[in-house]
Amino acid sequence: MTGTESRLLNVGARVYWKADREDAGTVTEKNWAGVTIKWDNREEQTILHNDMSMVTKV
């Protein structure tokens, strides 16, 4: 996803890492710089909006 698409995400949105359905997470926080994702199979991760190219919205 692009930085512009990332800025449109809402808290609660479900996302995949590299379009892998087995590697999903939920957006738990969003601010001007990026989003925090709680991955189902690992810990939370904060990613800058412009670094979301490996993330796909479900």
Side-chain angles (χ1 to χ4, degrees), residues 3-53:
T4 300
E5 293 168 329
S6 175
R7 288 174 181 83
L8 298 175
L9 288 173
N10 293 315
V11 171
R14 294 286 292 165
V15 294
Y16 296 139
W17 181 257
K18 295 185 179 178
D20 181 358
R21 292 179 183 211
E22 299 298 319
D23 200 358
T26 303
V27 175
T28 59
E29 186 178 336
K30 173 184 164 183
N31 62 38
W32 65 271
V35 296
T36 300
I37 300 169
K38 172 56 183 109
W39 297 104
D40 296 346
N41 59 358
R42 58 184 185 277
E43 299 195 17
E44 276 190 337
Q45 177 182 18
T46 300
I47 307 173
L48 298 174
H49 288 300
N50 290 332
D51 291 338
M52 293 280 285
S53 63

